[in-house]
Amino acid sequence: LTYICIKIDKMRNLLMAIVAVIIISGCDNKVVYKNYHELENMNWSRFDNQVFDINVTKNIPLDLYLSLRHHTDMPYNYLDVNITLETPNGEFRSKDYHYSLKDSNHKWKGSGMGELWDLDLTIRKDISFRKDGICKVTIENKMPRGTIPGIIELGIIVKEAN
């Protein structure tokens, strides 16, 4: 009986250690900003710009990501957007992006569960600002049709750069 109790204690300690490692590794303490906008009726209208206000600190390098949650039935394999950053010192940095949403085997990129897919797309890595304040990020739908069906949420994730 003593032998069985010792085995159970060792197994319980091992299980607790595994759970602790999973919890610690699941925490991404480099994330400094994360915000999502839910789109009405899973449609993103051409003129419905998504705007995010991010508090930034002078000379702290950051990585910016566009976070996309979409439905399996989204009819496009790609996403064309224009992303404009208005920096705290009044500069505008604008760029068109063409993001591929499927891999070479025509499978959705990112992680999926059921009919929902989540994908983080790089906007800019290792960007620094010359002044503390708010960086306004505007995401504009540049797809050829007026509305993109199947987009559930758009978001911005900002992490401390490595």
Side-chain angles (χ1 to χ4, degrees):
L1 186 61
T2 304
Y3 175 74
I4 293 173
C5 288
I6 292 172
K7 281 288 202 186
I8 290 172
D9 282 342
K10 285 184 178 182
M11 288 179 65
R12 185 180 61 216
N13 290 343
L14 178 62
L15 182 62
M16 299 269 289
I18 290 171
V19 168
V21 167
I22 290 171
I23 290 171
I24 290 170
S25 65
C27 297
D28 192 352
N29 58 2
K30 293 184 123 195
V31 173
V32 295
Y33 178 88
K34 184 187 280 190
N35 192 8
Y36 298 89
H37 293 177
E38 188 173 337
L39 301 175
E40 192 174 331
N41 298 320
M42 295 189 335
N43 288 300
W44 187 19
S45 170
R46 170 91 177 182
F47 303 105
D48 182 20
N49 293 345
Q50 300 299 305
V51 179
F52 299 85
D53 291 330
I54 302 165
N55 196 17
V56 296
T57 304
K58 177 180 175 180
N59 297 327
I60 302 292
L62 301 170
D63 296 336
L64 279 67
Y65 300 91
L66 171 62
S67 188
L68 173 68
R69 173 170 282 168
H70 67 89
H71 192 275
T72 300
D73 292 335
M74 182 181 161
Y76 298 104
N77 298 335
Y78 64 94
L79 181 66
D80 287 338
V81 295
N82 176 275
I83 299 176
T84 301
L85 306 178
E86 182 181 351
T87 68
N89 62 339
E91 283 181 66
F92 285 85
R93 301 176 189 177
S94 187
K95 183 177 177 184
D96 289 333
Y97 293 84
H98 177 83
Y99 292 114
S100 177
L101 304 179
K102 290 190 175 181
D103 63 21
S104 59
N105 295 321
H106 304 288
K107 303 282 185 202
W108 290 113
K109 292 180 181 178
S111 60
M113 183 168 36
E115 297 179 332
L116 302 180
W117 290 87
D118 293 322
L119 180 60
D120 294 337
L121 305 157
T122 302
I123 296 172
R124 187 87 186 264
K125 289 204 169 244
D126 204 33
I127 185 172
S128 298
F129 299 92
R130 290 187 248 152
K131 186 176 175 185
D132 291 347
I134 299 297
C135 176
K136 181 181 283 193
V137 179
T138 303
I139 306 168
E140 179 186 355
N141 171 356
K142 297 293 279 188
M143 296 295 282
R145 296 198 169 243
T147 299
I148 307 172
I151 296 186
I152 300 165
E153 289 180 334
L154 283 172
I156 295 290
I157 298 173
V158 180
K159 297 180 181 183
E160 291 178 13
N162 293 335

mmCIF file of all heavy atoms in Angstrom, residues 76-109:
data_model
loop_
_atom_site.group_PDB
_atom_site.id
_atom_site.type_symbol
_atom_site.label_atom_id
_atom_site.label_comp_id
_atom_site.label_asym_id
_atom_site.label_seq_id
_atom_site.Cartn_x
_atom_site.Cartn_y
_atom_site.Cartn_z
ATOM 1 N N TYR A 76 -12.441 34.112 -50.812
ATOM 2 C CA TYR A 76 -11.146 34.545 -51.346
ATOM 3 C C TYR A 76 -9.993 33.768 -50.717
ATOM 4 O O TYR A 76 -10.053 33.406 -49.554
ATOM 5 C CB TYR A 76 -10.932 36.041 -51.084
ATOM 6 C CG TYR A 76 -11.964 36.913 -51.758
ATOM 7 C CD1 TYR A 76 -12.986 37.490 -51.025
ATOM 8 C CD2 TYR A 76 -11.918 37.155 -53.123
ATOM 9 C CE1 TYR A 76 -13.946 38.292 -51.634
ATOM 10 C CE2 TYR A 76 -12.868 37.953 -53.741
ATOM 11 C CZ TYR A 76 -13.875 38.514 -52.993
ATOM 12 O OH TYR A 76 -14.812 39.298 -53.593
ATOM 13 N N ASN A 77 -8.941 33.571 -51.492
ATOM 14 C CA ASN A 77 -7.719 32.920 -51.007
ATOM 15 C C ASN A 77 -6.718 33.945 -50.500
ATOM 16 O O ASN A 77 -5.621 33.595 -50.090
ATOM 17 C CB ASN A 77 -7.052 32.126 -52.134
ATOM 18 C CG ASN A 77 -7.934 31.029 -52.659
ATOM 19 O OD1 ASN A 77 -8.805 30.542 -51.956
ATOM 20 N ND2 ASN A 77 -7.718 30.651 -53.894
ATOM 21 N N TYR A 78 -7.066 35.202 -50.601
ATOM 22 C CA TYR A 78 -6.138 36.280 -50.269
ATOM 23 C C TYR A 78 -6.910 37.435 -49.648
ATOM 24 O O TYR A 78 -8.137 37.459 -49.672
ATOM 25 C CB TYR A 78 -5.395 36.750 -51.526
ATOM 26 C CG TYR A 78 -6.314 37.367 -52.553
ATOM 27 C CD1 TYR A 78 -6.529 38.737 -52.590
ATOM 28 C CD2 TYR A 78 -6.994 36.573 -53.482
ATOM 29 C CE1 TYR A 78 -7.395 39.302 -53.519
ATOM 30 C CE2 TYR A 78 -7.857 37.129 -54.415
ATOM 31 C CZ TYR A 78 -8.048 38.494 -54.423
ATOM 32 O OH TYR A 78 -8.912 39.053 -55.338
ATOM 33 N N LEU A 79 -6.155 38.373 -49.126
ATOM 34 C CA LEU A 79 -6.745 39.575 -48.552
ATOM 35 C C LEU A 79 -5.871 40.757 -48.952
ATOM 36 O O LEU A 79 -4.669 40.769 -48.670
ATOM 37 C CB LEU A 79 -6.808 39.469 -47.024
ATOM 38 C CG LEU A 79 -7.433 40.650 -46.284
ATOM 39 C CD1 LEU A 79 -8.912 40.783 -46.614
ATOM 40 C CD2 LEU A 79 -7.245 40.500 -44.779
ATOM 41 N N ASP A 80 -6.463 41.733 -49.622
ATOM 42 C CA ASP A 80 -5.769 42.966 -49.986
ATOM 43 C C ASP A 80 -6.247 44.078 -49.068
ATOM 44 O O ASP A 80 -7.457 44.348 -48.977
ATOM 45 C CB ASP A 80 -6.061 43.357 -51.444
ATOM 46 C CG ASP A 80 -5.347 42.460 -52.441
ATOM 47 O OD1 ASP A 80 -4.342 41.824 -52.065
ATOM 48 O OD2 ASP A 80 -5.792 42.395 -53.595
ATOM 49 N N VAL A 81 -5.296 44.700 -48.390
ATOM 50 C CA VAL A 81 -5.605 45.794 -47.475
ATOM 51 C C VAL A 81 -4.573 46.901 -47.627
ATOM 52 O O VAL A 81 -3.468 46.671 -48.126
ATOM 53 C CB VAL A 81 -5.630 45.338 -45.990
ATOM 54 C CG1 VAL A 81 -6.743 44.348 -45.725
ATOM 55 C CG2 VAL A 81 -4.292 44.775 -45.564
ATOM 56 N N ASN A 82 -4.958 48.084 -47.202
ATOM 57 C CA ASN A 82 -4.004 49.165 -47.019
ATOM 58 C C ASN A 82 -3.972 49.434 -45.530
ATOM 59 O O ASN A 82 -5.024 49.547 -44.889
ATOM 60 C CB ASN A 82 -4.407 50.432 -47.772
ATOM 61 C CG ASN A 82 -3.441 51.562 -47.477
ATOM 62 O OD1 ASN A 82 -3.584 52.264 -46.494
ATOM 63 N ND2 ASN A 82 -2.438 51.707 -48.319
ATOM 64 N N ILE A 83 -2.762 49.522 -44.983
ATOM 65 C CA ILE A 83 -2.616 49.796 -43.554
ATOM 66 C C ILE A 83 -1.823 51.087 -43.409
ATOM 67 O O ILE A 83 -0.731 51.228 -43.964
ATOM 68 C CB ILE A 83 -1.935 48.625 -42.824
ATOM 69 C CG1 ILE A 83 -2.808 47.367 -42.976
ATOM 70 C CG2 ILE A 83 -1.714 48.978 -41.352
ATOM 71 C CD1 ILE A 83 -2.228 46.118 -42.394
ATOM 72 N N THR A 84 -2.415 52.027 -42.691
ATOM 73 C CA THR A 84 -1.788 53.326 -42.461
ATOM 74 C C THR A 84 -1.520 53.488 -40.974
ATOM 75 O O THR A 84 -2.410 53.260 -40.149
ATOM 76 C CB THR A 84 -2.690 54.466 -42.957
ATOM 77 O OG1 THR A 84 -2.950 54.284 -44.353
ATOM 78 C CG2 THR A 84 -2.042 55.822 -42.742
ATOM 79 N N LEU A 85 -0.293 53.859 -40.661
ATOM 80 C CA LEU A 85 0.085 54.179 -39.291
ATOM 81 C C LEU A 85 0.233 55.691 -39.184
ATOM 82 O O LEU A 85 0.978 56.298 -39.964
ATOM 83 C CB LEU A 85 1.426 53.534 -38.918
ATOM 84 C CG LEU A 85 1.578 52.036 -39.122
ATOM 85 C CD1 LEU A 85 2.988 51.595 -38.736
ATOM 86 C CD2 LEU A 85 0.560 51.266 -38.325
ATOM 87 N N GLU A 86 -0.485 56.287 -38.257
ATOM 88 C CA GLU A 86 -0.279 57.696 -37.936
ATOM 89 C C GLU A 86 0.465 57.732 -36.614
ATOM 90 O O GLU A 86 -0.082 57.384 -35.570
ATOM 91 C CB GLU A 86 -1.605 58.444 -37.824
ATOM 92 C CG GLU A 86 -1.427 59.914 -37.550
ATOM 93 C CD GLU A 86 -2.738 60.667 -37.410
ATOM 94 O OE1 GLU A 86 -3.811 60.088 -37.698
ATOM 95 O OE2 GLU A 86 -2.690 61.834 -36.988
ATOM 96 N N THR A 87 1.737 58.114 -36.669
ATOM 97 C CA THR A 87 2.614 58.037 -35.505
ATOM 98 C C THR A 87 2.330 59.180 -34.531
ATOM 99 O O THR A 87 1.706 60.182 -34.899
ATOM 100 C CB THR A 87 4.084 58.067 -35.945
ATOM 101 O OG1 THR A 87 4.374 59.361 -36.478
ATOM 102 C CG2 THR A 87 4.382 56.992 -36.970
ATOM 103 N N PRO A 88 2.811 59.057 -33.291
ATOM 104 C CA PRO A 88 2.581 60.124 -32.315
ATOM 105 C C PRO A 88 3.138 61.493 -32.735
ATOM 106 O O PRO A 88 2.634 62.521 -32.300
ATOM 107 C CB PRO A 88 3.308 59.617 -31.058
ATOM 108 C CG PRO A 88 3.312 58.142 -31.208
ATOM 109 C CD PRO A 88 3.447 57.890 -32.681
ATOM 110 N N ASN A 89 4.164 61.516 -33.591
ATOM 111 C CA ASN A 89 4.706 62.819 -34.005
ATOM 112 C C ASN A 89 4.096 63.305 -35.318
ATOM 113 O O ASN A 89 4.588 64.253 -35.922
ATOM 114 C CB ASN A 89 6.235 62.788 -34.085
ATOM 115 C CG ASN A 89 6.751 61.810 -35.109
ATOM 116 O OD1 ASN A 89 6.046 60.898 -35.495
ATOM 117 N ND2 ASN A 89 7.977 61.995 -35.550
ATOM 118 N N GLY A 90 2.988 62.658 -35.776
ATOM 119 C CA GLY A 90 2.238 63.159 -36.923
ATOM 120 C C GLY A 90 2.636 62.594 -38.277
ATOM 121 O O GLY A 90 2.051 62.962 -39.291
ATOM 122 N N GLU A 91 3.613 61.698 -38.320
ATOM 123 C CA GLU A 91 3.995 61.059 -39.592
ATOM 124 C C GLU A 91 2.922 60.062 -40.012
ATOM 125 O O GLU A 91 2.293 59.425 -39.171
ATOM 126 C CB GLU A 91 5.293 60.268 -39.436
ATOM 127 C CG GLU A 91 6.555 61.051 -39.399
ATOM 128 C CD GLU A 91 7.740 60.101 -39.266
ATOM 129 O OE1 GLU A 91 7.992 59.320 -40.208
ATOM 130 O OE2 GLU A 91 8.400 60.141 -38.216
ATOM 131 N N PHE A 92 2.754 59.905 -41.328
ATOM 132 C CA PHE A 92 1.876 58.881 -41.878
ATOM 133 C C PHE A 92 2.731 57.872 -42.629
ATOM 134 O O PHE A 92 3.547 58.261 -43.478
ATOM 135 C CB PHE A 92 0.847 59.494 -42.836
ATOM 136 C CG PHE A 92 -0.260 60.220 -42.133
ATOM 137 C CD1 PHE A 92 -0.103 61.541 -41.749
ATOM 138 C CD2 PHE A 92 -1.451 59.576 -41.839
ATOM 139 C CE1 PHE A 92 -1.114 62.217 -41.098
ATOM 140 C CE2 PHE A 92 -2.476 60.246 -41.183
ATOM 141 C CZ PHE A 92 -2.307 61.575 -40.813
ATOM 142 N N ARG A 93 2.538 56.604 -42.319
ATOM 143 C CA ARG A 93 3.220 55.522 -43.024
ATOM 144 C C ARG A 93 2.132 54.610 -43.566
ATOM 145 O O ARG A 93 1.423 53.970 -42.797
ATOM 146 C CB ARG A 93 4.155 54.750 -42.099
ATOM 147 C CG ARG A 93 5.219 55.616 -41.464
ATOM 148 C CD ARG A 93 6.030 54.815 -40.491
ATOM 149 N NE ARG A 93 6.908 55.690 -39.711
ATOM 150 C CZ ARG A 93 7.682 55.268 -38.740
ATOM 151 N NH1 ARG A 93 7.705 53.979 -38.419
ATOM 152 N NH2 ARG A 93 8.442 56.108 -38.080
ATOM 153 N N SER A 94 2.022 54.550 -44.884
ATOM 154 C CA SER A 94 0.941 53.803 -45.514
ATOM 155 C C SER A 94 1.519 52.782 -46.487
ATOM 156 O O SER A 94 2.468 53.084 -47.214
ATOM 157 C CB SER A 94 0.018 54.773 -46.250
ATOM 158 O OG SER A 94 -1.124 54.102 -46.725
ATOM 159 N N LYS A 95 0.934 51.579 -46.488
ATOM 160 C CA LYS A 95 1.431 50.524 -47.366
ATOM 161 C C LYS A 95 0.281 49.594 -47.737
ATOM 162 O O LYS A 95 -0.570 49.275 -46.907
ATOM 163 C CB LYS A 95 2.539 49.732 -46.666
ATOM 164 C CG LYS A 95 3.162 48.655 -47.529
ATOM 165 C CD LYS A 95 4.298 47.954 -46.816
ATOM 166 C CE LYS A 95 4.830 46.832 -47.696
ATOM 167 N NZ LYS A 95 5.869 46.057 -47.032
ATOM 168 N N ASP A 96 0.279 49.148 -49.003
ATOM 169 C CA ASP A 96 -0.658 48.121 -49.457
ATOM 170 C C ASP A 96 -0.065 46.750 -49.171
ATOM 171 O O ASP A 96 1.136 46.531 -49.373
ATOM 172 C CB ASP A 96 -0.931 48.256 -50.955
ATOM 173 C CG ASP A 96 -1.770 49.474 -51.293
ATOM 174 O OD1 ASP A 96 -2.554 49.922 -50.430
ATOM 175 O OD2 ASP A 96 -1.645 49.980 -52.418
ATOM 176 N N TYR A 97 -0.922 45.823 -48.714
ATOM 177 C CA TYR A 97 -0.501 44.461 -48.403
ATOM 178 C C TYR A 97 -1.375 43.481 -49.178
ATOM 179 O O TYR A 97 -2.585 43.678 -49.284
ATOM 180 C CB TYR A 97 -0.645 44.162 -46.908
ATOM 181 C CG TYR A 97 0.292 44.941 -46.033
ATOM 182 C CD1 TYR A 97 -0.022 46.229 -45.618
ATOM 183 C CD2 TYR A 97 1.494 44.387 -45.608
ATOM 184 C CE1 TYR A 97 0.835 46.951 -44.803
ATOM 185 C CE2 TYR A 97 2.356 45.097 -44.794
ATOM 186 C CZ TYR A 97 2.024 46.385 -44.399
ATOM 187 O OH TYR A 97 2.878 47.091 -43.600
ATOM 188 N N HIS A 98 -0.758 42.433 -49.682
ATOM 189 C CA HIS A 98 -1.467 41.323 -50.324
ATOM 190 C C HIS A 98 -1.114 40.078 -49.507
ATOM 191 O O HIS A 98 -0.006 39.561 -49.604
ATOM 192 C CB HIS A 98 -1.035 41.156 -51.778
ATOM 193 C CG HIS A 98 -1.674 39.988 -52.457
ATOM 194 N ND1 HIS A 98 -2.940 40.062 -53.009
ATOM 195 C CD2 HIS A 98 -1.248 38.716 -52.652
ATOM 196 C CE1 HIS A 98 -3.248 38.880 -53.529
ATOM 197 N NE2 HIS A 98 -2.237 38.052 -53.312
ATOM 198 N N TYR A 99 -2.049 39.646 -48.669
ATOM 199 C CA TYR A 99 -1.823 38.497 -47.797
ATOM 200 C C TYR A 99 -2.443 37.253 -48.420
ATOM 201 O O TYR A 99 -3.632 37.249 -48.759
ATOM 202 C CB TYR A 99 -2.458 38.714 -46.422
ATOM 203 C CG TYR A 99 -1.804 39.789 -45.589
ATOM 204 C CD1 TYR A 99 -2.491 40.954 -45.277
ATOM 205 C CD2 TYR A 99 -0.522 39.626 -45.092
ATOM 206 C CE1 TYR A 99 -1.912 41.930 -44.482
ATOM 207 C CE2 TYR A 99 0.064 40.603 -44.300
ATOM 208 C CZ TYR A 99 -0.628 41.752 -44.002
ATOM 209 O OH TYR A 99 -0.062 42.718 -43.220
ATOM 210 N N SER A 100 -1.654 36.210 -48.545
ATOM 211 C CA SER A 100 -2.153 34.916 -48.995
ATOM 212 C C SER A 100 -2.746 34.194 -47.784
ATOM 213 O O SER A 100 -2.084 34.075 -46.744
ATOM 214 C CB SER A 100 -1.011 34.104 -49.593
ATOM 215 O OG SER A 100 -1.469 32.828 -49.962
ATOM 216 N N LEU A 101 -3.975 33.708 -47.917
ATOM 217 C CA LEU A 101 -4.657 33.060 -46.794
ATOM 218 C C LEU A 101 -4.631 31.545 -46.867
ATOM 219 O O LEU A 101 -5.021 30.869 -45.918
ATOM 220 C CB LEU A 101 -6.110 33.544 -46.723
ATOM 221 C CG LEU A 101 -6.298 35.061 -46.622
ATOM 222 C CD1 LEU A 101 -7.784 35.397 -46.585
ATOM 223 C CD2 LEU A 101 -5.572 35.645 -45.427
ATOM 224 N N LYS A 102 -4.185 31.013 -48.014
ATOM 225 C CA LYS A 102 -4.082 29.564 -48.191
ATOM 226 C C LYS A 102 -2.654 29.198 -48.557
ATOM 227 O O LYS A 102 -1.926 29.986 -49.157
ATOM 228 C CB LYS A 102 -5.048 29.074 -49.268
ATOM 229 C CG LYS A 102 -6.505 29.140 -48.849
ATOM 230 C CD LYS A 102 -7.405 28.438 -49.829
ATOM 231 C CE LYS A 102 -8.838 28.398 -49.332
ATOM 232 N NZ LYS A 102 -9.720 27.687 -50.263
ATOM 233 N N ASP A 103 -2.271 27.973 -48.199
ATOM 234 C CA ASP A 103 -0.927 27.504 -48.538
ATOM 235 C C ASP A 103 -0.909 26.917 -49.951
ATOM 236 O O ASP A 103 -1.929 26.952 -50.662
ATOM 237 C CB ASP A 103 -0.419 26.499 -47.495
ATOM 238 C CG ASP A 103 -1.244 25.223 -47.412
ATOM 239 O OD1 ASP A 103 -1.964 24.881 -48.380
ATOM 240 O OD2 ASP A 103 -1.169 24.552 -46.367
ATOM 241 N N SER A 104 0.217 26.361 -50.355
ATOM 242 C CA SER A 104 0.359 25.831 -51.718
ATOM 243 C C SER A 104 -0.531 24.616 -51.982
ATOM 244 O O SER A 104 -0.784 24.266 -53.131
ATOM 245 C CB SER A 104 1.824 25.474 -51.991
ATOM 246 O OG SER A 104 2.276 24.517 -51.055
ATOM 247 N N ASN A 105 -1.027 23.979 -50.915
ATOM 248 C CA ASN A 105 -1.956 22.848 -51.052
ATOM 249 C C ASN A 105 -3.413 23.286 -50.975
ATOM 250 O O ASN A 105 -4.314 22.471 -50.807
ATOM 251 C CB ASN A 105 -1.676 21.797 -49.975
ATOM 252 C CG ASN A 105 -0.316 21.174 -50.136
ATOM 253 O OD1 ASN A 105 0.131 20.912 -51.254
ATOM 254 N ND2 ASN A 105 0.371 20.962 -49.028
ATOM 255 N N HIS A 106 -3.642 24.599 -51.030
ATOM 256 C CA HIS A 106 -4.977 25.195 -50.984
ATOM 257 C C HIS A 106 -5.698 24.948 -49.662
ATOM 258 O O HIS A 106 -6.919 24.886 -49.612
ATOM 259 C CB HIS A 106 -5.836 24.733 -52.161
ATOM 260 C CG HIS A 106 -5.193 25.014 -53.480
ATOM 261 N ND1 HIS A 106 -5.081 26.278 -54.003
ATOM 262 C CD2 HIS A 106 -4.570 24.185 -54.360
ATOM 263 C CE1 HIS A 106 -4.443 26.226 -55.154
ATOM 264 N NE2 HIS A 106 -4.110 24.974 -55.400
ATOM 265 N N LYS A 107 -4.918 24.838 -48.588
ATOM 266 C CA LYS A 107 -5.473 24.706 -47.237
ATOM 267 C C LYS A 107 -5.353 26.058 -46.542
ATOM 268 O O LYS A 107 -4.385 26.783 -46.740
ATOM 269 C CB LYS A 107 -4.691 23.657 -46.431
ATOM 270 C CG LYS A 107 -4.641 22.290 -47.080
ATOM 271 C CD LYS A 107 -5.913 21.555 -46.875
ATOM 272 C CE LYS A 107 -5.776 20.145 -47.442
ATOM 273 N NZ LYS A 107 -7.019 19.546 -47.738
ATOM 274 N N TRP A 108 -6.345 26.382 -45.724
ATOM 275 C CA TRP A 108 -6.298 27.636 -44.988
ATOM 276 C C TRP A 108 -5.067 27.668 -44.095
ATOM 277 O O TRP A 108 -4.752 26.696 -43.423
ATOM 278 C CB TRP A 108 -7.545 27.813 -44.126
ATOM 279 C CG TRP A 108 -8.804 28.063 -44.887
ATOM 280 C CD1 TRP A 108 -9.880 27.221 -44.982
ATOM 281 C CD2 TRP A 108 -9.139 29.225 -45.660
ATOM 282 N NE1 TRP A 108 -10.856 27.787 -45.759
ATOM 283 C CE2 TRP A 108 -10.423 29.021 -46.194
ATOM 284 C CE3 TRP A 108 -8.481 30.402 -45.955
ATOM 285 C CZ2 TRP A 108 -11.066 29.955 -46.993
ATOM 286 C CZ3 TRP A 108 -9.109 31.344 -46.757
ATOM 287 C CH2 TRP A 108 -10.386 31.116 -47.274
ATOM 288 N N LYS A 109 -4.385 28.812 -44.073
ATOM 289 C CA LYS A 109 -3.272 29.024 -43.152
ATOM 290 C C LYS A 109 -3.838 29.366 -41.784
ATOM 291 O O LYS A 109 -4.978 29.795 -41.663
ATOM 292 C CB LYS A 109 -2.387 30.179 -43.631
ATOM 293 C CG LYS A 109 -1.630 29.898 -44.905
ATOM 294 C CD LYS A 109 -0.802 31.123 -45.275
ATOM 295 C CE LYS A 109 -0.030 30.908 -46.550
ATOM 296 N NZ LYS A 109 0.743 32.132 -46.918
#
